[in-house]
Amino acid sequence: MDDGRRREEEGEAWRRWSVLVAAVWVQALTGTNFDFSAYSSALKSSLSISQEALNYLATASDLGKAFGWSSGLALLHMPLHGVLLVAAAMGFAAYALQYCCLAFLNTSSAGAPMAIPYPLVFLVCLIAGCSICWFNTVCFVLCIRSFSTSNRPLALSLSISFNGLSAAFYTLFANALSPLSPSIYLLLNAILPLAVSILALPVIILCHTNDSHLHSIPNHDRRVFLGLYILAFITGIYLVAFGSFTTTSSTAWVILTGAMVLLALPLIIPACSHGPDPAQPLSHDDPHKPFLVSNNNQTESDAMMEKAMEHQLQGSCCGTILDKGRLVVLGEEHSAKKLIGCVDFWLYYTAYFCGATVGLVYSNNLGQIAQSLRQQSRLTMLLAVYSSFSFFGRLLSALPEFLHRKVSLARTGWLAAALLPMPMAFFLMWKQQDGSTLVVGTALVGLSSGFIFAAAVSVTSELFGPNSIGVNHNILITNIPLGSFLYGQIAALVYDANGQRMTVVDNCTGITDTMIMCMGVKCYSTTFFVWGCITFLGLASSIVLFIRTKQAYASTASRSSRKHLHQVYS
């Protein structure tokens, strides 16, 4: 009987780790919005539009994320693999149409330019952005259904991290297939997500529809996660070392093959997961319990103490904006109405809006930035740098999980520390715009924004409740389309104001056209300064959030420690 149960548990372990590997693969090849700058200049030329109109297309892709709630609605009526296939179909249709616009439909049979309806391109960009949200939802649900409460942050962080490598992987594919054709990125955006969805489909079909089966073997699971994170780090180093340089087609194929091997290596983890220590006890988690749990007497005692402390703070000279209305306990469920009225939410929203979202807009404008500084030949390298360091930032977001016993810093403190490089990078690029500074600035922006993107899910869960994360996180990311429009508009207005009309020739079609182009440091100097000031505001907001929430994190850690001692001696 024990042997049969052990085999069943080993089968569950295999399924659990296989699902995580599938989520990693899906995330690695569905971050299609991160390579926008690789083909944005060609799209701008093909459609004969201004920088401002191009910014609207980037905003449309981000605006699609505002419809991310539709994926949650679809899950109420469709199986998980059905949602995955719909996401793949939406992405395929949207990017295939854009590819046709860029590669074929921009000329008629007589060679005269054809007018492609701009609203149609806007619409397909919006659908493409929505498909990315659907992919993300599938991966989040896979991790939540397959891992216990204690391991979920690590699983989520790992899968989200690989999303940051999408641009680097797509650059490798483009260099191997057609390095001189920007339209190849749109073709890859259409095909690769569909291909990886079909590849991951069998594993996802086997994923449980509920989480009542969840259990963990703490020491063994931590070792497995550590191995996965080491493999992920090696993958990032490989892409930085080999994916940032222009190579011949044959060399590009070799580098691409190496990257695919590294992406497949996590499959050894499910194979190794058959061997946990039989004597090690299983830890069963109640998947529906709140983020924080304790016995009733302890909860009542802690709540009374926290309320007394809150009352004392509000009645003293310290009862300022840093204390008034602050969160007293972590994991308390917040409805949408309660969330909107929470001061800490708006501090968090501002930190994200004035931090990671600026980094995303920077990546969207990277093509024009490189072109204006005559660094167009280094664009693929800059994309690989941004993608790789965004990946490292996402990996670093797991540090609180590994170091929580050695470094007692609230997760909001980690968030504030992650925002520090962002204003430094923009002020650096404002003062000195050359090739080396652009590389360093791009790396810092990618590192900072990557950390925030990955940490946001856990922060939202801790501050405003794990059971409400689906609604609350979608409310949080409404800042992305808003920031994409606002910050992109700032960049576009400065660019167009300093540009002049030039006659350009399309290398693929030979068609001449006139468009506004800007060359030199004046094109983005003011933009970098404004973005630096905005990200400094985000840093200040995150520091205030940390100060307001650190007491809640401290009391939570104290309760968790007392609960652990109670379980040991009971």
Short mmCIF file of all heavy atoms in Angstrom, two decimals, residues 430 433 490 494 498 521-532:
data_model
loop_
_atom_site.label_atom_id
_atom_site.label_comp_id
_atom_site.label_asym_id
_atom_site.label_seq_id
_atom_site.Cartn_x
_atom_site.Cartn_y
_atom_site.Cartn_z
N TRP A 430 20.91 60.89 -20.32
CA TRP A 430 20.63 62.30 -20.61
C TRP A 430 21.92 63.10 -20.69
O TRP A 430 22.09 63.95 -21.57
CB TRP A 430 19.72 62.87 -19.51
CG TRP A 430 19.59 64.37 -19.51
CD1 TRP A 430 19.15 65.16 -20.52
CD2 TRP A 430 19.93 65.26 -18.43
NE1 TRP A 430 19.18 66.49 -20.15
CE2 TRP A 430 19.66 66.57 -18.87
CE3 TRP A 430 20.44 65.06 -17.14
CZ2 TRP A 430 19.88 67.69 -18.06
CZ3 TRP A 430 20.64 66.16 -16.33
CH2 TRP A 430 20.37 67.45 -16.79
N GLN A 433 25.26 60.65 -24.33
CA GLN A 433 24.62 59.73 -25.25
C GLN A 433 25.64 59.22 -26.27
O GLN A 433 25.96 59.90 -27.24
CB GLN A 433 23.46 60.42 -25.98
CG GLN A 433 22.33 60.83 -25.03
CD GLN A 433 21.14 61.43 -25.78
OE1 GLN A 433 20.77 60.95 -26.83
NE2 GLN A 433 20.57 62.50 -25.23
N ILE A 490 5.21 61.62 -24.94
CA ILE A 490 6.29 62.57 -24.63
C ILE A 490 7.47 62.37 -25.57
O ILE A 490 7.99 63.32 -26.15
CB ILE A 490 6.74 62.39 -23.16
CG1 ILE A 490 5.64 62.82 -22.20
CG2 ILE A 490 8.02 63.17 -22.89
CD1 ILE A 490 5.92 62.48 -20.74
N VAL A 494 8.72 65.06 -28.65
CA VAL A 494 10.10 65.58 -28.66
C VAL A 494 10.81 65.16 -29.95
O VAL A 494 11.50 65.96 -30.58
CB VAL A 494 10.88 65.08 -27.43
CG1 VAL A 494 12.35 65.46 -27.52
CG2 VAL A 494 10.26 65.64 -26.14
N ASN A 498 11.99 67.84 -33.09
CA ASN A 498 13.40 68.02 -33.45
C ASN A 498 13.77 67.37 -34.79
O ASN A 498 14.92 67.45 -35.22
CB ASN A 498 14.30 67.43 -32.35
CG ASN A 498 14.28 68.26 -31.09
OD1 ASN A 498 14.89 69.31 -31.00
ND2 ASN A 498 13.55 67.77 -30.08
N VAL A 521 21.66 63.71 -30.69
CA VAL A 521 21.33 63.59 -29.26
C VAL A 521 20.08 64.38 -28.89
O VAL A 521 19.42 64.07 -27.88
CB VAL A 521 22.52 64.07 -28.39
CG1 VAL A 521 23.73 63.18 -28.60
CG2 VAL A 521 22.87 65.53 -28.68
N LYS A 522 19.72 65.38 -29.70
CA LYS A 522 18.55 66.22 -29.39
C LYS A 522 17.25 65.42 -29.45
O LYS A 522 16.25 65.82 -28.84
CB LYS A 522 18.48 67.39 -30.36
CG LYS A 522 18.34 66.95 -31.82
CD LYS A 522 18.37 68.12 -32.78
CE LYS A 522 18.26 67.62 -34.24
NZ LYS A 522 18.30 68.74 -35.20
N CYS A 523 17.25 64.29 -30.16
CA CYS A 523 16.01 63.55 -30.38
C CYS A 523 15.43 62.98 -29.10
O CYS A 523 14.21 62.91 -28.94
CB CYS A 523 16.25 62.42 -31.39
SG CYS A 523 16.93 62.96 -32.96
N TYR A 524 16.28 62.55 -28.18
CA TYR A 524 15.81 61.89 -26.96
C TYR A 524 16.40 62.47 -25.69
O TYR A 524 16.10 61.98 -24.59
CB TYR A 524 16.10 60.38 -27.02
CG TYR A 524 15.11 59.63 -27.88
CD1 TYR A 524 15.37 59.41 -29.23
CD2 TYR A 524 13.91 59.18 -27.36
CE1 TYR A 524 14.46 58.73 -30.03
CE2 TYR A 524 12.99 58.50 -28.14
CZ TYR A 524 13.27 58.28 -29.47
OH TYR A 524 12.36 57.63 -30.27
N SER A 525 17.20 63.52 -25.78
CA SER A 525 17.83 64.09 -24.59
C SER A 525 16.79 64.57 -23.58
O SER A 525 16.83 64.23 -22.39
CB SER A 525 18.77 65.23 -24.99
OG SER A 525 19.39 65.78 -23.85
N THR A 526 15.84 65.37 -24.06
CA THR A 526 14.79 65.89 -23.17
C THR A 526 13.94 64.75 -22.63
O THR A 526 13.55 64.75 -21.45
CB THR A 526 13.91 66.89 -23.93
OG1 THR A 526 14.72 67.96 -24.43
CG2 THR A 526 12.83 67.46 -23.01
N THR A 527 13.66 63.77 -23.49
CA THR A 527 12.85 62.62 -23.07
C THR A 527 13.54 61.85 -21.94
O THR A 527 12.88 61.47 -20.95
CB THR A 527 12.62 61.68 -24.26
OG1 THR A 527 11.93 62.39 -25.29
CG2 THR A 527 11.79 60.47 -23.84
N PHE A 528 14.84 61.63 -22.05
CA PHE A 528 15.57 60.92 -21.00
C PHE A 528 15.50 61.68 -19.68
O PHE A 528 15.36 61.08 -18.60
CB PHE A 528 17.02 60.70 -21.41
CG PHE A 528 17.22 59.67 -22.47
CD1 PHE A 528 18.28 59.76 -23.37
CD2 PHE A 528 16.35 58.59 -22.59
CE1 PHE A 528 18.46 58.80 -24.36
CE2 PHE A 528 16.52 57.63 -23.57
CZ PHE A 528 17.58 57.74 -24.46
N PHE A 529 15.60 63.00 -19.74
CA PHE A 529 15.52 63.81 -18.52
C PHE A 529 14.14 63.69 -17.87
O PHE A 529 14.02 63.49 -16.66
CB PHE A 529 15.83 65.28 -18.82
CG PHE A 529 15.72 66.18 -17.63
CD1 PHE A 529 16.69 66.21 -16.65
CD2 PHE A 529 14.59 67.00 -17.47
CE1 PHE A 529 16.58 67.03 -15.53
CE2 PHE A 529 14.47 67.82 -16.36
CZ PHE A 529 15.46 67.84 -15.40
N VAL A 530 13.09 63.82 -18.70
CA VAL A 530 11.72 63.71 -18.18
C VAL A 530 11.48 62.32 -17.61
O VAL A 530 10.92 62.17 -16.51
CB VAL A 530 10.69 64.04 -19.28
CG1 VAL A 530 9.27 63.78 -18.78
CG2 VAL A 530 10.83 65.49 -19.73
N TRP A 531 11.90 61.29 -18.34
CA TRP A 531 11.74 59.92 -17.83
C TRP A 531 12.53 59.72 -16.54
O TRP A 531 12.08 59.00 -15.64
CB TRP A 531 12.19 58.91 -18.88
CG TRP A 531 11.22 58.73 -20.02
CD1 TRP A 531 9.96 59.27 -20.12
CD2 TRP A 531 11.42 57.96 -21.21
NE1 TRP A 531 9.38 58.88 -21.30
CE2 TRP A 531 10.24 58.08 -21.99
CE3 TRP A 531 12.47 57.20 -21.71
CZ2 TRP A 531 10.10 57.46 -23.23
CZ3 TRP A 531 12.33 56.57 -22.93
CH2 TRP A 531 11.15 56.70 -23.69
N GLY A 532 13.70 60.33 -16.43
CA GLY A 532 14.48 60.23 -15.20
C GLY A 532 13.74 60.83 -14.01
O GLY A 532 13.71 60.25 -12.92
#
